[in-house]
Amino acid sequence: MFKAIILAAGEGTRMKSKKSKVLHEIAGKPLIYHILNSVKKAGFDEIITVLGRNYNDAKEIVEYFGSKVIKQPHEPGSPYGTGYAAKICMDEISEEDDLLIMYGDTPLIDDKTIENYFNYHKNCANDITVLSAILDDPKDYGRIVREDGEFKEIVEKKNMDPNLFYSNEINSGIYLFKGKAFLDTIVEINDDNPKKEYMLTDTIAIGRGLSYKVDAYISDNHDVVLGVNDREDLYLCECALIARENKKRMISGVMIHNPESTYIDPDAIIEEDVELSGFVKIIGKSIIRSGSMIENSTICNMTIGENCHIINSTCEDSVVEDGVKFGPYSRIRPGSHIASGAKIGNFVEIKNSNFGEGSKAGHLAYIGDADVGRDVNIGCGVVFVNYDGKKKHRTTVGDHAFVGSNVNLVAPVVIEDNAFLAAGSTITKDVSKDALSIERGEQKNIDGWVIRRGLHKEL
Ligand code: UD1
Ligand code: CA
C-alpha cells in the first residue's frame, strides 16, 4: 500500500506562540490543512499523522482528512526528534508498503510534485529518495552531502563542520521509502548527539551503510520545499502560496491589478474578465461572474452576477444578480438577495433581505429583515427598525415605493406598491398603495427669536 506519514508533533518553539505551529494559518487555512489536502489529492491508501502536545487542537482537522492519528508523548524527558516521531509509526508500516514521510510545517507541497517525485523514485528503483532543492540561501535547512555525485548523508546546520565546504542543496524534509528500507533504517537511529534528538535524516547514512539505494530528487520548484520554523517563514510561505494561486487565476482570464494584496480562496469560482483591484479577499466558495469588478473589498461565500461593481465593501453569504453596484463602504450581511441593476451606496447595510430589481439605497441606511420590491427608492438615513428588544420582525416595501430620507420603518409593517413615505416619518402602521404617509411633529417658526436670545451675528 502507498502510505503517508506526516510528522506534526514538534514543539515549534521558534514560532514563539501558544498555538501549535502546524495550526498557524496561511491563506486562511492551517499549515497542516494545506499538507493534508495535497496528500489526500495525491491518492494515498492511508495517511498517518503524528501529533503531540497539539493533539486536542489538531485532531479534528486531521481526522477530517481521514488520517489516522498517532500520539507522540510530550512529557518532560520524553524522547524527541523527527526520527523518534517516525519510529513510533513503525507498527503501521509493512515491508511491502511504499511510504512518504514529510513534516507538518512544509505547506506548499502539491499533489503534482508528489506524483513526479514518486515516479522518479519508482523508475530509479530507489530504496530511499529525498526531495531536495538547490537554494541561493540555504538558511537553516539540513544539507545534502554528496561524494563523487553520490548522495552520502544529510548534515544539519548545527552539526556542520566549519572546515568543510557544503553545497546549497538542501533537504526539504520530504522522503520516499520502500517499507523495508524504512523499517531497517529507523530502528538504527539513536540520540547520540549533544541535543539528544532522534533525527530522521540519519536514515540516509544508515541506509547507505546497509547498501540500500539512496538518492535525492532535486525539485526545480523552490516553493514546494519552503518550511515554516518562525513567523518570517510563515509570511514567506503565505506570499508564495498566494502568488501561486493568483498566477493560476490570471492564466484563466482574471485580471488581478495588485496580486501582492489579493487573496483568492482556491474553492472560489471566478470567470473570465473579472477584474480585482487593490486589497481584495475572496473567501470560501464564492462565485464571481464575468465582467464584474471588485475593488478593495472582502467577499465571503458570495454569488455575484455579471458586470457588478463592488468598491470598498464587505459582503458575505448572499446572492447578487447582474449589474449591481455596491459602495464605497457598503456592507452586505448573510441571507441577502440583491436583484439585478440595484444600487447600494456608501454606508448602507443590508441584512437578511431581498432587495428588488433596480432599487436604490444611496446613502447611510440600514435595511434588515426586509422584502423590498423593484424600483424602490430608499432615502438617506432610512432605518428598518427590525428589533423590538426580544424578536426580529420583517418589513415589506412594495414596487415603486418612495421611502423619504430619515424614515424609520418600525417592523412588522407593510408598505404597498407606489406608496410615498415623507421624509422624517416614523412609520408604525401599514401604508396602502398610492398613499402618502407623513408622520411628523408640526413645524413652528418663531420670528425674531434669535435676536431676542442674543444669538444673532452680524454678516
Ligand atoms: C528538519 C530536518 C532538516 C530539513 C528541514 C526541512 C531533521 C533532523 N531535520 O529540520 O534536515 O532541512 O526539516 O524543513 O529532521 N516533529 C515531530 N516530533 C518531534 C520533532 C519534530 O513530529 O519530536 C515534527 C515537527 O512538528 C515538524 C517536523 O517534525 O513539523 C520538523 O521538525 P523541525 O523541528 O521543524 O525540523 P527542522 O529543524 O526544520
Ligand atoms: Ca521545520
Side-chain angles (χ1 to χ4, degrees):
M1 287 216 281
F2 192 18
K3 296 182 180 169
I5 298 179
I6 297 161
L7 307 181
E11 292 292 325
T13 42
R14 287 166 281 185
M15 290 300 285
K16 305 219 169 24
S17 170
K18 288 193 182 77
K19 186 154 86 174
S20 159
K21 175 167 71 178
V22 298
L23 293 177
H24 277 269
E25 295 187 357
I26 58 170
K29 305 250 166 51
L31 298 181
I32 189 81
Y33 178 99
H34 291 283
I35 293 167
L36 286 160
N37 198 30
S38 297
V39 167
K40 187 92 195 159
K41 275 200 214 152
F44 288 85
D45 301 308
E46 200 175 299
I47 306 172
I48 299 146
T49 305
V50 182
L51 298 177
R53 194 187 298 281
N54 56 4
Y55 178 80
N56 287 333
D57 298 333
K59 189 171 166 279
E60 192 180 331
I61 181 165
V62 170
E63 287 179 347
Y64 167 80
F65 283 98
S67 170
K68 248 189 198 172
V69 179
I70 291 195
K71 211 172 162 185
Q72 179 180 340
H74 60 269
E75 293 71 32
S78 301
Y80 192 74
T82 51
Y84 181 70
K87 200 173 187 162
I88 59 175
C89 300
M90 275 180 77
D91 290 347
E92 305 293 326
I93 307 301
S94 74
E95 292 194 348
E96 294 71 36
D97 287 335
D98 285 307
L99 176 63
L100 175 101
I101 304 187
M102 65 173 293
Y103 301 151
D105 63 357
T106 312
L108 299 190
I109 188 76
D110 62 294
D111 52 320
K112 194 80 204 143
T113 303
I114 296 175
E115 193 185 315
N116 294 340
Y117 168 43
F118 184 63
N119 288 340
Y120 175 88
H121 172 72
K122 277 276 167 195
N123 294 340
C124 298
N126 291 335
D127 294 305
I128 308 174
T129 313
V130 173
L131 185 76
S132 73
I134 298 167
L135 302 184
D136 292 337
D137 176 9
K139 294 173 81 180
D140 291 344
Y141 291 101
R143 302 292 186 89
I144 305 289
V145 177
R146 293 177 187 264
E147 220 170 51
D148 303 325
E150 291 259 314
F151 186 9
K152 190 178 153 224
E153 59 177 344
I154 297 171
V155 177
E156 290 306 295
K157 172 100 183 276
K158 52 184 179 269
N159 301 329
M160 277 163 62
D161 182 339
N163 301 312
L164 292 180
F165 169 79
Y166 293 89
S167 80
N168 283 4
E169 186 179 356
I170 62 99
N171 167 30
S172 68
I174 304 172
Y175 315 80
L176 281 166
F177 287 88
K178 278 191 183 152
K180 182 164 170 29
F182 170 69
L183 295 170
D184 288 350
T185 53
I186 200 75
V187 285
E188 298 293 330
I189 284 187
N190 62 49
D191 64 348
D192 201 3
N193 54 55
K195 281 203 142 182
K196 289 263 160 238
E197 207 174 309
Y198 291 84
M199 297 191 288
L200 183 58
T201 45
D202 285 351
T203 51
I204 303 304
I206 295 168
R208 259 178 73 91
L210 295 172
S211 302
Y212 278 118
K213 189 164 182 242
V214 178
D215 191 6
Y217 169 76
I218 306 174
S219 168
D220 45 16
N221 180 355
H222 292 174
D223 286 354
V224 300
V225 304
L226 285 178
V228 174
N229 289 331
D230 56 28
R231 305 270 181 169
E232 191 190 5
D233 294 334
L234 196 67
Y235 159 74
L236 293 173
C237 273
E238 179 156 71
C239 292
L241 185 64
I242 288 175
R244 186 159 90 186
E245 286 297 324
N246 286 344
K247 194 172 165 187
K248 276 195 224 158
R249 297 289 179 174
M250 287 192 262
I251 289 168
S252 71
V254 178
M255 183 62 218
I256 304 180
H257 293 277
N258 306 89
E260 67 291 344
S261 62
T262 301
Y263 165 67
I264 306 170
D265 195 303
D267 290 340
I269 296 169
I270 306 186
E271 294 186 351
E272 286 175 11
D273 290 320
V274 165
E275 286 192 52
L276 309 176
S277 171
F279 285 86
V280 175
K281 267 190 182 176
I282 297 170
I283 303 164
K285 292 191 188 326
S286 292
I287 300 172
I288 304 176
R289 301 275 178 228
S290 183
S292 285
M293 168 105 187
I294 317 282
E295 297 178 56
N296 296 315
S297 295
T298 299
I299 306 294
C300 180
N301 293 319
M302 290 288 296
T303 298
I304 295 172
E306 290 184 6
N307 301 316
C308 292
H309 194 168
I310 299 182
I311 310 173
N312 290 51
S313 296
T314 300
C315 311
E316 50 183 326
D317 297 293
S318 294
V319 174
V320 176
E321 294 180 6
D322 298 342
V324 169
K325 290 197 168 67
F326 286 148
Y329 310 110
S330 308
R331 179 158 182 223
I332 311 304
R333 290 173 53 202
S336 298
H337 185 116
I338 317 293
S340 58
K343 267 194 199 145
I344 311 292
N346 37 280
F347 306 106
V348 173
E349 176 177 340
I350 300 196
K351 187 213 75 169
N352 192 27
S353 294
N354 297 306
F355 198 74
E357 194 179 323
S359 291
K360 296 187 179 80
H363 342 257
L364 299 154
Y366 173 62
I367 301 163
D369 300 306
D371 299 293
V372 176
R374 68 202 310 257
D375 293 317
V376 169
N377 179 75
I378 305 285
C380 178
V382 169
V383 176
F384 284 60
V385 184
N386 59 334
Y387 186 46
D388 63 9
K390 279 189 184 158
K391 274 193 188 156
K392 302 275 167 67
H393 303 277
R394 286 195 84 80
T395 298
T396 302
V397 178
D399 296 345
H400 305 287
F402 184 94
V403 181
S405 292
N406 255 352
V407 164
N408 296 311
L409 290 152
V410 182
V413 70
V414 175
I415 312 301
E416 293 186 1
D417 298 345
N418 280 303
F420 193 105
L421 309 183
S425 302
T426 292
I427 306 295
T428 51
K429 290 184 226 142
D430 294 353
V431 180
S432 51
K433 68 178 178 177
D434 294 311
L436 165 73
S437 179
I438 178 160
E439 189 280 337
R440 290 180 194 154
E442 196 185 333
Q443 180 171 337
K444 275 186 202 156
N445 295 350
I446 304 173
D447 289 339
W449 182 92
V450 174
I451 297 169
R452 288 198 297 280
R453 262 285 163 123
L455 296 172
H456 177 83
K457 292 188 190 76
E458 286 307 321
L459 295 174

Short mmCIF file of all heavy atoms in Angstrom, two decimals, residues 113-162:
data_model
loop_
_atom_site.label_atom_id
_atom_site.label_comp_id
_atom_site.label_asym_id
_atom_site.label_seq_id
_atom_site.Cartn_x
_atom_site.Cartn_y
_atom_site.Cartn_z
N THR A 113 3.71 17.54 -7.64
CA THR A 113 5.11 17.31 -7.25
C THR A 113 5.25 15.93 -6.63
O THR A 113 6.19 15.20 -6.93
CB THR A 113 5.58 18.40 -6.25
OG1 THR A 113 5.38 19.66 -6.86
CG2 THR A 113 7.03 18.23 -5.87
N ILE A 114 4.29 15.57 -5.78
CA ILE A 114 4.36 14.24 -5.15
C ILE A 114 4.35 13.15 -6.23
O ILE A 114 5.12 12.21 -6.19
CB ILE A 114 3.18 14.03 -4.15
CG1 ILE A 114 3.29 15.02 -2.99
CG2 ILE A 114 3.15 12.59 -3.63
CD1 ILE A 114 2.12 14.99 -2.01
N GLU A 115 3.50 13.35 -7.22
CA GLU A 115 3.38 12.35 -8.29
C GLU A 115 4.69 12.21 -9.08
O GLU A 115 5.19 11.09 -9.27
CB GLU A 115 2.24 12.79 -9.22
CG GLU A 115 1.78 11.73 -10.17
CD GLU A 115 0.74 12.29 -11.14
OE1 GLU A 115 -0.17 13.02 -10.68
OE2 GLU A 115 0.87 12.03 -12.34
N ASN A 116 5.28 13.34 -9.49
CA ASN A 116 6.53 13.29 -10.26
C ASN A 116 7.66 12.68 -9.44
O ASN A 116 8.47 11.90 -9.94
CB ASN A 116 6.96 14.70 -10.69
CG ASN A 116 5.98 15.28 -11.68
OD1 ASN A 116 5.23 14.55 -12.31
ND2 ASN A 116 5.96 16.59 -11.79
N TYR A 117 7.68 13.05 -8.19
CA TYR A 117 8.72 12.59 -7.27
C TYR A 117 8.59 11.07 -7.05
O TYR A 117 9.58 10.32 -7.10
CB TYR A 117 8.53 13.41 -5.99
CG TYR A 117 9.23 13.02 -4.74
CD1 TYR A 117 10.58 12.64 -4.73
CD2 TYR A 117 8.56 13.13 -3.51
CE1 TYR A 117 11.22 12.34 -3.52
CE2 TYR A 117 9.19 12.84 -2.31
CZ TYR A 117 10.50 12.43 -2.32
OH TYR A 117 11.12 12.14 -1.14
N PHE A 118 7.36 10.63 -6.90
CA PHE A 118 7.14 9.19 -6.70
C PHE A 118 7.52 8.40 -7.96
O PHE A 118 8.14 7.33 -7.89
CB PHE A 118 5.68 8.93 -6.32
CG PHE A 118 5.40 7.48 -6.01
CD1 PHE A 118 6.02 6.86 -4.93
CD2 PHE A 118 4.54 6.73 -6.80
CE1 PHE A 118 5.78 5.52 -4.65
CE2 PHE A 118 4.29 5.40 -6.52
CZ PHE A 118 4.91 4.79 -5.44
N ASN A 119 7.18 8.97 -9.13
CA ASN A 119 7.55 8.30 -10.39
C ASN A 119 9.06 8.17 -10.51
O ASN A 119 9.58 7.13 -10.93
CB ASN A 119 6.99 9.06 -11.59
CG ASN A 119 5.49 8.89 -11.68
OD1 ASN A 119 4.94 7.94 -11.10
ND2 ASN A 119 4.82 9.79 -12.37
N TYR A 120 9.77 9.23 -10.13
CA TYR A 120 11.24 9.20 -10.18
C TYR A 120 11.77 8.09 -9.26
O TYR A 120 12.59 7.28 -9.66
CB TYR A 120 11.77 10.57 -9.74
CG TYR A 120 13.29 10.64 -9.62
CD1 TYR A 120 14.08 10.96 -10.71
CD2 TYR A 120 13.92 10.38 -8.40
CE1 TYR A 120 15.47 11.00 -10.60
CE2 TYR A 120 15.29 10.43 -8.28
CZ TYR A 120 16.07 10.74 -9.39
OH TYR A 120 17.44 10.79 -9.27
N HIS A 121 11.26 8.08 -8.05
CA HIS A 121 11.66 7.09 -7.04
C HIS A 121 11.44 5.66 -7.57
O HIS A 121 12.31 4.79 -7.44
CB HIS A 121 10.81 7.36 -5.79
CG HIS A 121 10.90 6.37 -4.68
ND1 HIS A 121 12.00 6.24 -3.88
CD2 HIS A 121 9.98 5.46 -4.23
CE1 HIS A 121 11.76 5.30 -2.97
NE2 HIS A 121 10.54 4.82 -3.17
N LYS A 122 10.30 5.45 -8.21
CA LYS A 122 9.96 4.12 -8.74
C LYS A 122 10.85 3.77 -9.94
O LYS A 122 11.42 2.67 -10.02
CB LYS A 122 8.49 4.10 -9.21
CG LYS A 122 7.54 3.84 -8.08
CD LYS A 122 7.43 2.33 -7.84
CE LYS A 122 6.74 2.06 -6.52
NZ LYS A 122 6.88 0.72 -6.03
N ASN A 123 10.94 4.73 -10.88
CA ASN A 123 11.70 4.47 -12.12
C ASN A 123 13.17 4.18 -11.83
O ASN A 123 13.81 3.40 -12.53
CB ASN A 123 11.59 5.64 -13.09
CG ASN A 123 10.17 5.79 -13.59
OD1 ASN A 123 9.38 4.83 -13.51
ND2 ASN A 123 9.81 6.96 -14.08
N CYS A 124 13.71 4.84 -10.79
CA CYS A 124 15.12 4.62 -10.45
C CYS A 124 15.28 3.39 -9.55
O CYS A 124 16.39 3.06 -9.16
CB CYS A 124 15.71 5.83 -9.73
SG CYS A 124 15.69 7.31 -10.71
N ALA A 125 14.18 2.79 -9.19
CA ALA A 125 14.19 1.65 -8.25
C ALA A 125 14.98 1.99 -6.99
O ALA A 125 15.79 1.19 -6.49
CB ALA A 125 14.75 0.40 -8.94
N ASN A 126 14.73 3.20 -6.47
CA ASN A 126 15.41 3.61 -5.23
C ASN A 126 14.75 2.98 -4.01
O ASN A 126 13.55 2.68 -4.01
CB ASN A 126 15.32 5.13 -5.06
CG ASN A 126 16.16 5.86 -6.09
OD1 ASN A 126 17.12 5.31 -6.62
ND2 ASN A 126 15.80 7.12 -6.36
N ASP A 127 15.56 2.83 -2.96
CA ASP A 127 15.01 2.38 -1.67
C ASP A 127 14.58 3.59 -0.83
O ASP A 127 13.59 3.55 -0.12
CB ASP A 127 16.05 1.55 -0.92
CG ASP A 127 16.33 0.25 -1.65
OD1 ASP A 127 15.37 -0.50 -1.90
OD2 ASP A 127 17.50 -0.01 -1.99
N ILE A 128 15.40 4.64 -0.93
CA ILE A 128 15.06 5.89 -0.23
C ILE A 128 15.35 7.05 -1.19
O ILE A 128 16.43 7.11 -1.79
CB ILE A 128 15.93 6.09 1.05
CG1 ILE A 128 15.88 4.85 1.95
CG2 ILE A 128 15.52 7.35 1.80
CD1 ILE A 128 16.84 4.92 3.15
N THR A 129 14.39 7.95 -1.35
CA THR A 129 14.64 9.15 -2.16
C THR A 129 14.22 10.37 -1.34
O THR A 129 13.11 10.42 -0.82
CB THR A 129 13.81 9.14 -3.48
OG1 THR A 129 13.94 7.85 -4.09
CG2 THR A 129 14.29 10.21 -4.43
N VAL A 130 15.14 11.32 -1.26
CA VAL A 130 14.85 12.56 -0.54
C VAL A 130 14.51 13.63 -1.57
O VAL A 130 15.14 13.69 -2.63
CB VAL A 130 16.10 13.00 0.27
CG1 VAL A 130 15.90 14.38 0.89
CG2 VAL A 130 16.41 11.97 1.35
N LEU A 131 13.50 14.45 -1.27
CA LEU A 131 13.21 15.58 -2.16
C LEU A 131 14.12 16.73 -1.75
O LEU A 131 14.08 17.19 -0.60
CB LEU A 131 11.74 15.99 -2.00
CG LEU A 131 11.26 17.08 -2.95
CD1 LEU A 131 11.03 16.54 -4.35
CD2 LEU A 131 9.95 17.68 -2.44
N SER A 132 14.95 17.18 -2.67
CA SER A 132 15.89 18.25 -2.34
C SER A 132 15.67 19.43 -3.27
O SER A 132 14.88 19.35 -4.21
CB SER A 132 17.33 17.74 -2.45
OG SER A 132 17.69 17.59 -3.81
N ALA A 133 16.38 20.53 -2.99
CA ALA A 133 16.34 21.70 -3.87
C ALA A 133 17.65 22.45 -3.69
O ALA A 133 18.28 22.36 -2.63
CB ALA A 133 15.17 22.60 -3.51
N ILE A 134 18.04 23.16 -4.72
CA ILE A 134 19.28 23.96 -4.62
C ILE A 134 18.86 25.42 -4.46
O ILE A 134 18.24 26.00 -5.35
CB ILE A 134 20.17 23.73 -5.86
CG1 ILE A 134 20.56 22.25 -5.92
CG2 ILE A 134 21.41 24.62 -5.80
CD1 ILE A 134 21.16 21.79 -7.22
N LEU A 135 19.13 25.96 -3.28
CA LEU A 135 18.66 27.31 -2.96
C LEU A 135 19.82 28.30 -2.93
O LEU A 135 20.94 27.95 -2.53
CB LEU A 135 18.00 27.32 -1.57
CG LEU A 135 16.82 26.39 -1.32
CD1 LEU A 135 16.24 26.62 0.07
CD2 LEU A 135 15.73 26.59 -2.37
N ASP A 136 19.56 29.55 -3.31
CA ASP A 136 20.59 30.60 -3.21
C ASP A 136 20.96 30.79 -1.75
O ASP A 136 22.12 30.95 -1.40
CB ASP A 136 20.07 31.93 -3.78
CG ASP A 136 19.88 31.83 -5.28
OD1 ASP A 136 20.54 30.95 -5.90
OD2 ASP A 136 19.06 32.58 -5.83
N ASP A 137 19.93 30.81 -0.90
CA ASP A 137 20.18 30.94 0.54
C ASP A 137 19.65 29.70 1.23
O ASP A 137 18.44 29.55 1.43
CB ASP A 137 19.45 32.20 1.06
CG ASP A 137 19.59 32.33 2.56
OD1 ASP A 137 20.39 31.57 3.16
OD2 ASP A 137 18.91 33.21 3.13
N PRO A 138 20.56 28.79 1.63
CA PRO A 138 20.07 27.52 2.22
C PRO A 138 19.62 27.66 3.67
O PRO A 138 19.23 26.66 4.29
CB PRO A 138 21.28 26.60 2.12
CG PRO A 138 22.44 27.43 1.75
CD PRO A 138 22.02 28.83 1.50
N LYS A 139 19.65 28.86 4.21
CA LYS A 139 19.14 29.15 5.56
C LYS A 139 19.52 28.04 6.56
O LYS A 139 20.65 27.59 6.56
CB LYS A 139 17.63 29.38 5.51
CG LYS A 139 17.29 30.65 4.73
CD LYS A 139 15.81 30.80 4.52
CE LYS A 139 15.13 31.37 5.76
NZ LYS A 139 13.69 31.51 5.54
N ASP A 140 18.55 27.59 7.36
CA ASP A 140 18.87 26.59 8.39
C ASP A 140 18.53 25.16 7.96
O ASP A 140 18.48 24.25 8.78
CB ASP A 140 18.07 26.89 9.67
CG ASP A 140 18.56 28.16 10.33
OD1 ASP A 140 19.68 28.61 9.99
OD2 ASP A 140 17.84 28.71 11.18
N TYR A 141 18.25 24.97 6.68
CA TYR A 141 17.89 23.63 6.23
C TYR A 141 19.06 22.66 6.38
O TYR A 141 20.22 23.07 6.31
CB TYR A 141 17.48 23.65 4.75
CG TYR A 141 16.18 24.37 4.48
CD1 TYR A 141 16.18 25.66 3.98
CD2 TYR A 141 14.97 23.75 4.71
CE1 TYR A 141 14.99 26.33 3.72
CE2 TYR A 141 13.77 24.41 4.44
CZ TYR A 141 13.79 25.70 3.96
OH TYR A 141 12.61 26.35 3.70
N GLY A 142 18.75 21.39 6.55
CA GLY A 142 19.77 20.35 6.52
C GLY A 142 20.37 20.29 5.12
O GLY A 142 19.67 20.53 4.14
N ARG A 143 21.67 20.00 5.03
CA ARG A 143 22.33 19.99 3.71
C ARG A 143 22.54 18.57 3.21
O ARG A 143 22.88 17.66 3.98
CB ARG A 143 23.71 20.65 3.81
CG ARG A 143 23.70 22.07 4.31
CD ARG A 143 23.06 23.03 3.31
NE ARG A 143 23.23 24.37 3.84
CZ ARG A 143 24.29 25.13 3.57
NH1 ARG A 143 25.24 24.70 2.77
NH2 ARG A 143 24.39 26.31 4.12
N ILE A 144 22.36 18.43 1.91
CA ILE A 144 22.63 17.16 1.24
C ILE A 144 24.15 17.09 0.99
O ILE A 144 24.71 18.01 0.40
CB ILE A 144 21.90 17.11 -0.13
CG1 ILE A 144 20.41 17.37 0.04
CG2 ILE A 144 22.21 15.83 -0.89
CD1 ILE A 144 19.61 16.29 0.69
N VAL A 145 24.76 16.04 1.43
CA VAL A 145 26.20 15.89 1.21
C VAL A 145 26.40 14.76 0.19
O VAL A 145 25.89 13.65 0.37
CB VAL A 145 26.94 15.54 2.52
CG1 VAL A 145 28.43 15.31 2.26
CG2 VAL A 145 26.75 16.66 3.53
N ARG A 146 27.08 15.10 -0.90
CA ARG A 146 27.34 14.09 -1.94
C ARG A 146 28.84 13.84 -2.02
O ARG A 146 29.64 14.75 -1.80
CB ARG A 146 26.84 14.58 -3.31
CG ARG A 146 25.33 14.69 -3.40
CD ARG A 146 24.92 15.24 -4.75
NE ARG A 146 23.48 15.50 -4.79
CZ ARG A 146 22.57 14.65 -5.28
NH1 ARG A 146 22.93 13.47 -5.76
NH2 ARG A 146 21.29 14.98 -5.29
N GLU A 147 29.19 12.62 -2.38
CA GLU A 147 30.60 12.27 -2.58
C GLU A 147 30.69 11.68 -3.98
O GLU A 147 29.99 10.68 -4.27
CB GLU A 147 31.00 11.21 -1.55
CG GLU A 147 32.39 11.43 -0.99
CD GLU A 147 32.63 10.50 0.20
OE1 GLU A 147 32.39 9.27 0.05
OE2 GLU A 147 33.01 10.99 1.26
N ASP A 148 31.45 12.31 -4.84
CA ASP A 148 31.51 11.91 -6.26
C ASP A 148 30.09 11.81 -6.83
O ASP A 148 29.75 10.83 -7.52
CB ASP A 148 32.22 10.56 -6.41
CG ASP A 148 33.62 10.60 -5.82
OD1 ASP A 148 34.25 11.67 -5.92
OD2 ASP A 148 34.04 9.58 -5.23
N GLY A 149 29.25 12.79 -6.51
CA GLY A 149 27.88 12.82 -7.04
C GLY A 149 26.92 11.91 -6.30
O GLY A 149 25.71 12.07 -6.41
N GLU A 150 27.42 10.99 -5.54
CA GLU A 150 26.56 10.02 -4.83
C GLU A 150 26.09 10.62 -3.50
O GLU A 150 26.90 11.17 -2.75
CB GLU A 150 27.37 8.76 -4.51
CG GLU A 150 27.73 7.95 -5.72
CD GLU A 150 26.81 6.76 -5.86
OE1 GLU A 150 26.58 6.08 -4.85
OE2 GLU A 150 26.30 6.54 -6.98
N PHE A 151 24.81 10.48 -3.24
CA PHE A 151 24.23 11.01 -2.00
C PHE A 151 24.75 10.23 -0.80
O PHE A 151 24.57 9.02 -0.70
CB PHE A 151 22.71 10.86 -2.13
CG PHE A 151 21.90 11.47 -1.03
CD1 PHE A 151 22.45 12.27 -0.04
CD2 PHE A 151 20.53 11.24 -0.99
CE1 PHE A 151 21.67 12.82 0.96
CE2 PHE A 151 19.73 11.78 0.01
CZ PHE A 151 20.32 12.57 0.99
N LYS A 152 25.42 10.96 0.12
CA LYS A 152 26.08 10.26 1.22
C LYS A 152 25.31 10.41 2.54
O LYS A 152 25.02 9.43 3.25
CB LYS A 152 27.48 10.85 1.38
CG LYS A 152 28.38 10.10 2.33
CD LYS A 152 29.76 10.74 2.37
CE LYS A 152 30.43 10.47 3.70
NZ LYS A 152 31.07 11.63 4.25
N GLU A 153 24.95 11.65 2.84
CA GLU A 153 24.25 11.87 4.11
C GLU A 153 23.59 13.25 4.13
O GLU A 153 23.82 14.07 3.23
CB GLU A 153 25.23 11.77 5.29
CG GLU A 153 26.37 12.78 5.20
CD GLU A 153 27.31 12.72 6.40
OE1 GLU A 153 26.94 12.14 7.43
OE2 GLU A 153 28.40 13.30 6.30
N ILE A 154 22.79 13.48 5.18
CA ILE A 154 22.24 14.82 5.41
C ILE A 154 22.89 15.34 6.68
O ILE A 154 22.94 14.65 7.70
CB ILE A 154 20.71 14.78 5.59
CG1 ILE A 154 20.04 14.28 4.31
CG2 ILE A 154 20.18 16.15 5.97
CD1 ILE A 154 18.54 14.01 4.45
N VAL A 155 23.40 16.57 6.60
CA VAL A 155 24.01 17.16 7.79
C VAL A 155 23.18 18.38 8.20
O VAL A 155 22.88 19.25 7.38
CB VAL A 155 25.47 17.59 7.51
CG1 VAL A 155 26.08 18.27 8.73
CG2 VAL A 155 26.31 16.37 7.13
N GLU A 156 22.79 18.41 9.45
CA GLU A 156 22.02 19.53 9.97
C GLU A 156 22.93 20.74 10.14
O GLU A 156 24.12 20.61 10.41
CB GLU A 156 21.40 19.17 11.32
CG GLU A 156 20.30 18.15 11.24
CD GLU A 156 19.19 18.56 10.27
OE1 GLU A 156 18.50 19.55 10.52
OE2 GLU A 156 19.03 17.87 9.24
N LYS A 157 22.35 21.93 10.02
CA LYS A 157 23.13 23.17 10.13
C LYS A 157 23.98 23.15 11.40
O LYS A 157 25.17 23.47 11.38
CB LYS A 157 22.15 24.34 10.13
CG LYS A 157 22.73 25.70 10.41
CD LYS A 157 22.95 26.48 9.13
CE LYS A 157 23.60 27.82 9.34
NZ LYS A 157 22.67 28.89 9.69
N LYS A 158 23.32 22.76 12.51
CA LYS A 158 24.04 22.83 13.80
C LYS A 158 25.20 21.84 13.87
O LYS A 158 26.10 22.01 14.70
CB LYS A 158 23.07 22.62 14.97
CG LYS A 158 22.20 21.39 14.87
CD LYS A 158 21.21 21.34 16.03
CE LYS A 158 20.29 20.13 15.95
NZ LYS A 158 19.06 20.31 15.24
N ASN A 159 25.19 20.85 13.01
CA ASN A 159 26.28 19.85 13.03
C ASN A 159 27.30 20.02 11.90
O ASN A 159 28.14 19.16 11.69
CB ASN A 159 25.69 18.43 12.94
CG ASN A 159 24.74 18.16 14.09
OD1 ASN A 159 24.92 18.71 15.19
ND2 ASN A 159 23.71 17.36 13.86
N MET A 160 27.20 21.14 11.18
CA MET A 160 28.12 21.33 10.05
C MET A 160 29.54 21.60 10.53
O MET A 160 29.74 22.32 11.50
CB MET A 160 27.62 22.48 9.16
CG MET A 160 26.55 22.03 8.18
SD MET A 160 25.56 23.35 7.45
CE MET A 160 26.76 24.26 6.59
N ASP A 161 30.50 21.01 9.84
CA ASP A 161 31.91 21.19 10.18
C ASP A 161 32.38 22.49 9.53
O ASP A 161 32.37 22.61 8.30
CB ASP A 161 32.69 19.97 9.65
CG ASP A 161 34.17 20.04 9.99
OD1 ASP A 161 34.66 21.16 10.27
OD2 ASP A 161 34.82 18.98 9.96
N PRO A 162 32.79 23.49 10.32
CA PRO A 162 33.16 24.78 9.75
C PRO A 162 34.33 24.68 8.76
O PRO A 162 34.55 25.59 7.95
CB PRO A 162 33.53 25.65 10.96
CG PRO A 162 33.65 24.73 12.11
CD PRO A 162 32.94 23.45 11.79
#
